mmCIF file of all heavy atoms in Angstrom:
data_model
loop_
_atom_site.group_PDB
_atom_site.id
_atom_site.type_symbol
_atom_site.label_atom_id
_atom_site.label_comp_id
_atom_site.label_asym_id
_atom_site.label_seq_id
_atom_site.Cartn_x
_atom_site.Cartn_y
_atom_site.Cartn_z
ATOM 1 N N PHE A 539 -82.864 99.925 -79.345
ATOM 2 C CA PHE A 539 -82.165 100.598 -78.253
ATOM 3 C C PHE A 539 -81.979 102.080 -78.576
ATOM 4 O O PHE A 539 -82.146 102.951 -77.722
ATOM 5 C CB PHE A 539 -80.800 99.926 -78.020
ATOM 6 C CG PHE A 539 -80.075 100.421 -76.807
ATOM 7 C CD1 PHE A 539 -80.331 99.850 -75.559
ATOM 8 C CD2 PHE A 539 -79.129 101.439 -76.884
ATOM 9 C CE1 PHE A 539 -79.658 100.304 -74.424
ATOM 10 C CE2 PHE A 539 -78.463 101.890 -75.751
ATOM 11 C CZ PHE A 539 -78.730 101.313 -74.524
ATOM 12 N N TYR A 540 -81.666 102.348 -79.843
ATOM 13 C CA TYR A 540 -81.483 103.745 -80.241
ATOM 14 C C TYR A 540 -82.798 104.518 -80.151
ATOM 15 O O TYR A 540 -82.832 105.642 -79.640
ATOM 16 C CB TYR A 540 -80.915 103.840 -81.655
ATOM 17 C CG TYR A 540 -80.673 105.265 -82.062
ATOM 18 C CD1 TYR A 540 -79.547 105.949 -81.615
ATOM 19 C CD2 TYR A 540 -81.589 105.958 -82.853
ATOM 20 C CE1 TYR A 540 -79.329 107.272 -81.942
ATOM 21 C CE2 TYR A 540 -81.386 107.288 -83.196
ATOM 22 C CZ TYR A 540 -80.250 107.935 -82.731
ATOM 23 O OH TYR A 540 -80.040 109.252 -83.047
ATOM 24 N N LEU A 541 -83.870 103.889 -80.628
ATOM 25 C CA LEU A 541 -85.162 104.587 -80.607
ATOM 26 C C LEU A 541 -85.591 104.881 -79.169
ATOM 27 O O LEU A 541 -86.171 105.913 -78.876
ATOM 28 C CB LEU A 541 -86.224 103.767 -81.342
ATOM 29 C CG LEU A 541 -85.973 103.642 -82.854
ATOM 30 C CD1 LEU A 541 -86.995 102.719 -83.507
ATOM 31 C CD2 LEU A 541 -85.982 105.027 -83.514
ATOM 32 N N GLN A 542 -85.270 103.964 -78.259
ATOM 33 C CA GLN A 542 -85.679 104.141 -76.870
ATOM 34 C C GLN A 542 -84.779 105.118 -76.104
ATOM 35 O O GLN A 542 -85.258 105.926 -75.312
ATOM 36 C CB GLN A 542 -85.658 102.787 -76.164
ATOM 37 C CG GLN A 542 -86.150 102.847 -74.731
ATOM 38 C CD GLN A 542 -86.845 101.556 -74.328
ATOM 39 O OE1 GLN A 542 -86.835 100.555 -75.054
ATOM 40 N NE2 GLN A 542 -87.452 101.557 -73.166
ATOM 41 N N ASN A 543 -83.479 105.043 -76.347
ATOM 42 C CA ASN A 543 -82.546 105.797 -75.505
ATOM 43 C C ASN A 543 -81.783 106.908 -76.221
ATOM 44 O O ASN A 543 -81.051 107.665 -75.586
ATOM 45 C CB ASN A 543 -81.507 104.845 -74.899
ATOM 46 C CG ASN A 543 -82.154 103.778 -74.036
ATOM 47 O OD1 ASN A 543 -82.703 104.079 -72.990
ATOM 48 N ND2 ASN A 543 -82.118 102.534 -74.494
ATOM 49 N N ASN A 544 -81.906 106.917 -77.558
ATOM 50 C CA ASN A 544 -81.153 107.896 -78.324
ATOM 51 C C ASN A 544 -79.645 107.706 -78.176
ATOM 52 O O ASN A 544 -78.871 108.671 -78.215
ATOM 53 C CB ASN A 544 -81.569 109.317 -77.916
ATOM 54 C CG ASN A 544 -81.466 110.277 -79.068
ATOM 55 O OD1 ASN A 544 -81.566 109.868 -80.228
ATOM 56 N ND2 ASN A 544 -81.230 111.536 -78.763
ATOM 57 N N ILE A 545 -79.222 106.471 -77.972
ATOM 58 C CA ILE A 545 -77.796 106.173 -77.846
ATOM 59 C C ILE A 545 -77.434 105.139 -78.921
ATOM 60 O O ILE A 545 -78.005 104.052 -78.958
ATOM 61 C CB ILE A 545 -77.459 105.590 -76.458
ATOM 62 C CG1 ILE A 545 -77.798 106.601 -75.352
ATOM 63 C CG2 ILE A 545 -75.978 105.198 -76.387
ATOM 64 C CD1 ILE A 545 -77.596 106.065 -73.944
ATOM 65 N N PRO A 546 -76.477 105.483 -79.790
ATOM 66 C CA PRO A 546 -76.030 104.512 -80.792
ATOM 67 C C PRO A 546 -75.089 103.479 -80.166
ATOM 68 O O PRO A 546 -74.252 103.823 -79.326
ATOM 69 C CB PRO A 546 -75.281 105.369 -81.817
ATOM 70 C CG PRO A 546 -74.812 106.567 -81.051
ATOM 71 C CD PRO A 546 -75.788 106.784 -79.923
ATOM 72 N N LEU A 547 -75.242 102.238 -80.571
ATOM 73 C CA LEU A 547 -74.315 101.186 -80.140
ATOM 74 C C LEU A 547 -73.564 100.697 -81.376
ATOM 75 O O LEU A 547 -73.992 100.929 -82.500
ATOM 76 C CB LEU A 547 -75.087 100.015 -79.518
ATOM 77 C CG LEU A 547 -75.933 100.326 -78.278
ATOM 78 C CD1 LEU A 547 -76.780 99.108 -77.893
ATOM 79 C CD2 LEU A 547 -75.049 100.729 -77.102
ATOM 80 N N ASP A 548 -72.440 100.011 -81.178
ATOM 81 C CA ASP A 548 -71.740 99.403 -82.319
ATOM 82 C C ASP A 548 -71.989 97.897 -82.299
ATOM 83 O O ASP A 548 -72.161 97.312 -81.231
ATOM 84 C CB ASP A 548 -70.238 99.699 -82.251
ATOM 85 C CG ASP A 548 -69.528 98.737 -81.326
ATOM 86 O OD1 ASP A 548 -69.820 98.772 -80.110
ATOM 87 O OD2 ASP A 548 -68.750 97.897 -81.799
ATOM 88 N N PHE A 549 -71.999 97.296 -83.483
ATOM 89 C CA PHE A 549 -72.405 95.880 -83.538
ATOM 90 C C PHE A 549 -71.305 94.917 -83.115
ATOM 91 O O PHE A 549 -71.582 93.757 -82.839
ATOM 92 C CB PHE A 549 -72.934 95.516 -84.941
ATOM 93 C CG PHE A 549 -71.866 95.341 -85.994
ATOM 94 C CD1 PHE A 549 -71.362 94.081 -86.289
ATOM 95 C CD2 PHE A 549 -71.369 96.425 -86.697
ATOM 96 C CE1 PHE A 549 -70.377 93.904 -87.263
ATOM 97 C CE2 PHE A 549 -70.384 96.271 -87.669
ATOM 98 C CZ PHE A 549 -69.892 95.005 -87.954
ATOM 99 N N VAL A 550 -70.057 95.389 -83.051
ATOM 100 C CA VAL A 550 -68.952 94.472 -82.714
ATOM 101 C C VAL A 550 -68.819 94.280 -81.198
ATOM 102 O O VAL A 550 -68.513 93.182 -80.739
ATOM 103 C CB VAL A 550 -67.618 94.990 -83.306
ATOM 104 C CG1 VAL A 550 -66.477 94.022 -83.000
ATOM 105 C CG2 VAL A 550 -67.738 95.200 -84.812
ATOM 106 N N TYR A 551 -69.081 95.349 -80.451
ATOM 107 C CA TYR A 551 -68.832 95.289 -79.007
ATOM 108 C C TYR A 551 -70.043 95.658 -78.145
ATOM 109 O O TYR A 551 -70.599 94.836 -77.435
ATOM 110 C CB TYR A 551 -67.680 96.232 -78.634
ATOM 111 C CG TYR A 551 -66.326 95.853 -79.181
ATOM 112 C CD1 TYR A 551 -65.807 96.472 -80.311
ATOM 113 C CD2 TYR A 551 -65.546 94.901 -78.542
ATOM 114 C CE1 TYR A 551 -64.551 96.146 -80.804
ATOM 115 C CE2 TYR A 551 -64.290 94.565 -79.021
ATOM 116 C CZ TYR A 551 -63.798 95.191 -80.156
ATOM 117 O OH TYR A 551 -62.559 94.860 -80.633
ATOM 118 N N THR A 552 -70.399 96.938 -78.202
ATOM 119 C CA THR A 552 -71.317 97.434 -77.179
ATOM 120 C C THR A 552 -72.737 96.876 -77.321
ATOM 121 O O THR A 552 -73.431 96.707 -76.311
ATOM 122 C CB THR A 552 -71.363 98.979 -77.202
ATOM 123 O OG1 THR A 552 -71.611 99.423 -78.535
ATOM 124 C CG2 THR A 552 -70.057 99.561 -76.724
ATOM 125 N N ALA A 553 -73.160 96.561 -78.555
ATOM 126 C CA ALA A 553 -74.502 96.000 -78.723
ATOM 127 C C ALA A 553 -74.578 94.615 -78.076
ATOM 128 O O ALA A 553 -75.582 94.264 -77.453
ATOM 129 C CB ALA A 553 -74.865 95.924 -80.208
ATOM 130 N N LYS A 554 -73.498 93.857 -78.203
ATOM 131 C CA LYS A 554 -73.501 92.506 -77.624
ATOM 132 C C LYS A 554 -73.528 92.573 -76.094
ATOM 133 O O LYS A 554 -74.218 91.801 -75.427
ATOM 134 C CB LYS A 554 -72.285 91.723 -78.129
ATOM 135 C CG LYS A 554 -72.377 91.453 -79.636
ATOM 136 C CD LYS A 554 -71.202 90.699 -80.206
ATOM 137 C CE LYS A 554 -71.418 90.526 -81.724
ATOM 138 N NZ LYS A 554 -70.316 89.776 -82.368
ATOM 139 N N MET A 555 -72.768 93.513 -75.548
ATOM 140 C CA MET A 555 -72.792 93.706 -74.097
ATOM 141 C C MET A 555 -74.193 94.086 -73.628
ATOM 142 O O MET A 555 -74.747 93.484 -72.702
ATOM 143 C CB MET A 555 -71.789 94.808 -73.734
ATOM 144 C CG MET A 555 -71.703 95.181 -72.293
ATOM 145 S SD MET A 555 -72.486 96.704 -71.720
ATOM 146 C CE MET A 555 -72.106 97.949 -72.889
ATOM 147 N N MET A 556 -74.800 95.052 -74.310
ATOM 148 C CA MET A 556 -76.100 95.567 -73.860
ATOM 149 C C MET A 556 -77.194 94.520 -74.024
ATOM 150 O O MET A 556 -78.095 94.415 -73.184
ATOM 151 C CB MET A 556 -76.411 96.839 -74.674
ATOM 152 C CG MET A 556 -77.214 97.860 -73.937
ATOM 153 S SD MET A 556 -76.555 98.322 -72.334
ATOM 154 C CE MET A 556 -77.991 98.004 -71.334
ATOM 155 N N PHE A 557 -77.108 93.754 -75.099
ATOM 156 C CA PHE A 557 -78.055 92.652 -75.281
ATOM 157 C C PHE A 557 -77.912 91.658 -74.129
ATOM 158 O O PHE A 557 -78.901 91.198 -73.549
ATOM 159 C CB PHE A 557 -77.787 91.944 -76.621
ATOM 160 C CG PHE A 557 -78.819 90.908 -76.979
ATOM 161 C CD1 PHE A 557 -79.832 91.197 -77.878
ATOM 162 C CD2 PHE A 557 -78.771 89.629 -76.414
ATOM 163 C CE1 PHE A 557 -80.792 90.239 -78.212
ATOM 164 C CE2 PHE A 557 -79.732 88.671 -76.734
ATOM 165 C CZ PHE A 557 -80.738 88.976 -77.632
ATOM 166 N N GLY A 558 -76.673 91.364 -73.777
ATOM 167 C CA GLY A 558 -76.400 90.436 -72.679
ATOM 168 C C GLY A 558 -76.915 90.962 -71.345
ATOM 169 O O GLY A 558 -77.511 90.215 -70.561
ATOM 170 N N VAL A 559 -76.709 92.244 -71.108
ATOM 171 C CA VAL A 559 -77.199 92.831 -69.854
ATOM 172 C C VAL A 559 -78.707 92.663 -69.759
ATOM 173 O O VAL A 559 -79.239 92.200 -68.741
ATOM 174 C CB VAL A 559 -76.813 94.329 -69.759
ATOM 175 C CG1 VAL A 559 -77.536 95.002 -68.600
ATOM 176 C CG2 VAL A 559 -75.298 94.487 -69.616
ATOM 177 N N ASN A 560 -79.402 93.009 -70.840
ATOM 178 C CA ASN A 560 -80.867 92.904 -70.812
ATOM 179 C C ASN A 560 -81.327 91.464 -70.614
ATOM 180 O O ASN A 560 -82.312 91.204 -69.918
ATOM 181 C CB ASN A 560 -81.460 93.479 -72.093
ATOM 182 C CG ASN A 560 -81.550 94.990 -72.037
ATOM 183 O OD1 ASN A 560 -81.091 95.610 -71.073
ATOM 184 N ND2 ASN A 560 -82.122 95.591 -73.059
ATOM 185 N N ASP A 561 -80.612 90.532 -71.239
ATOM 186 C CA ASP A 561 -80.969 89.122 -71.079
ATOM 187 C C ASP A 561 -80.783 88.692 -69.622
ATOM 188 O O ASP A 561 -81.629 87.992 -69.057
ATOM 189 C CB ASP A 561 -80.100 88.274 -72.019
ATOM 190 C CG ASP A 561 -80.630 86.849 -72.128
ATOM 191 O OD1 ASP A 561 -81.821 86.693 -72.462
ATOM 192 O OD2 ASP A 561 -79.860 85.899 -71.865
ATOM 193 N N LEU A 562 -79.705 89.139 -69.007
ATOM 194 C CA LEU A 562 -79.464 88.791 -67.597
ATOM 195 C C LEU A 562 -80.516 89.435 -66.690
ATOM 196 O O LEU A 562 -80.948 88.839 -65.697
ATOM 197 C CB LEU A 562 -78.065 89.231 -67.150
ATOM 198 C CG LEU A 562 -76.875 88.491 -67.766
ATOM 199 C CD1 LEU A 562 -75.564 89.044 -67.197
ATOM 200 C CD2 LEU A 562 -76.946 86.994 -67.543
ATOM 201 N N VAL A 563 -80.923 90.648 -67.042
ATOM 202 C CA VAL A 563 -81.980 91.307 -66.255
ATOM 203 C C VAL A 563 -83.244 90.459 -66.314
ATOM 204 O O VAL A 563 -83.862 90.147 -65.286
ATOM 205 C CB VAL A 563 -82.265 92.729 -66.788
ATOM 206 C CG1 VAL A 563 -83.509 93.316 -66.110
ATOM 207 C CG2 VAL A 563 -81.063 93.640 -66.577
ATOM 208 N N GLN A 564 -83.586 90.043 -67.522
ATOM 209 C CA GLN A 564 -84.784 89.225 -67.728
ATOM 210 C C GLN A 564 -84.720 87.941 -66.894
ATOM 211 O O GLN A 564 -85.714 87.480 -66.364
ATOM 212 C CB GLN A 564 -84.870 88.843 -69.207
ATOM 213 C CG GLN A 564 -86.266 88.739 -69.740
ATOM 214 C CD GLN A 564 -86.515 89.793 -70.817
ATOM 215 O OE1 GLN A 564 -85.603 90.132 -71.578
ATOM 216 N NE2 GLN A 564 -87.710 90.331 -70.855
#
Side-chain angles (χ1 to χ4, degrees):
F539 188 86
Y540 182 79
L541 293 175
Q542 184 148 8
N543 300 293
N544 212 26
I545 299 176
L547 300 172
D548 82 295
F549 76 95
V550 182
Y551 294 100
T552 51
K554 294 179 181 181
M555 178 257 316
M556 211 52 234
F557 187 100
V559 169
N560 279 5
D561 193 55
L562 292 181
V563 171
Q564 214 116 34

